[in-house]
Amino acid sequence: MNDTCDKLVIFLAKRDGIDKLVKTFQYVSKLVNWHVETTQPDIANRFKQWEVASGLSRKAFRTGRFLTGFNALRRNPGSTNTLRFLAVLSNAGEMVYFFFDHFLWLSRIGTIDANLAKKMSFISAFGESVGYVFFIIADFIMLKEGIKAERKLRMSKEESKSEEELEKEIEKIKGDRIMRLMAVAANVADLIIALAEIQPNPFCNHTLTLGISGLVSAWAGWYRNWPS
């Protein structure tokens, strides 16, 4: 049986695992910078540099990530027409996000015209927002289906299944529900961050909102990717 160190090594070996760790660095440093920028500008500047470096590092780690959405559509688009439709829209949005994020990264590190950064950021964030909206809708549909399935099992009087088998199926449904709730939390948090780029406003663009949203997304991702 794997202990905590084994699980941490497995977690950090995953691209999503290292991304969530660096995302934690990025948004913790953003909050620290905001907290001390007026009282300790030198420390604030150091944390700002850490935030920027972490953000750029995450973009590098995501190279080729747009293929994940394409492969998801190719391999497992959904069990119903509604879920397939939502899968197309959500994964298409995510593919746009990750694909144009490559150009945003290249423009920010100076490999291509830096003036392209604003346009690439908007396109990437727009695709990201579209993807998150439809991922959230799909997860709520699946959560509803899970609740129905659990109720059906609890009311089941099937003689072919023992009480132990029924409990295992119910636990499986509960486990899936927790994972989907974590996904919804992460997607809502990331949607707020994306909206701050698409349509700047006092709430979404406040450092505290961005910092908390980033950490909610990162830690929900930690939970979902942590080895069982």
Side-chain angles (χ1 to χ4, degrees), residues 76-197:
N76 186 25
S79 56
T80 67
N81 287 334
T82 300
L83 290 175
R84 290 187 195 102
F85 177 69
L86 291 171
V88 169
L89 294 175
S90 56
N91 283 286
E94 188 181 67
M95 283 189 281
V96 169
Y97 161 43
F98 285 125
F99 183 76
F100 284 94
D101 200 47
H102 292 26
F103 298 103
L104 174 58
W105 170 53
L106 291 172
S107 64
R108 284 187 172 166
I109 63 174
T111 303
I112 61 176
D113 188 355
N115 293 324
L116 290 172
K118 189 171 181 62
K119 183 183 289 186
M120 294 300 104
S121 181
F122 180 87
I123 296 171
S124 179
F126 185 81
E128 182 181 15
S129 299
V130 170
Y132 290 144
V133 167
F134 291 108
F135 276 128
I136 291 166
I137 293 171
D139 278 324
F140 273 121
I141 290 173
M142 294 304 295
L143 284 166
K144 184 179 178 181
E145 291 299 316
I147 291 170
K148 286 181 180 179
E150 183 180 349
R151 284 177 181 168
K152 186 176 178 180
L153 283 170
R154 289 188 183 281
M155 296 171 64
S156 175
K157 302 294 183 182
E158 293 181 53
E159 295 181 1
S160 59
K161 290 186 179 180
S162 67
E163 187 175 336
E164 186 178 345
E165 288 175 324
L166 288 173
E167 284 301 318
K168 282 183 179 179
E169 289 189 33
I170 290 170
E171 286 301 315
K172 185 178 179 182
I173 292 170
K174 286 182 177 179
D176 179 73
R177 184 182 304 151
I178 292 171
M179 287 301 184
R180 290 193 183 279
L181 287 171
M182 290 294 106
V184 169
N187 287 334
V188 169
D190 284 329
L191 178 59
I192 291 171
I193 296 170
L195 289 175
E197 179 63 35

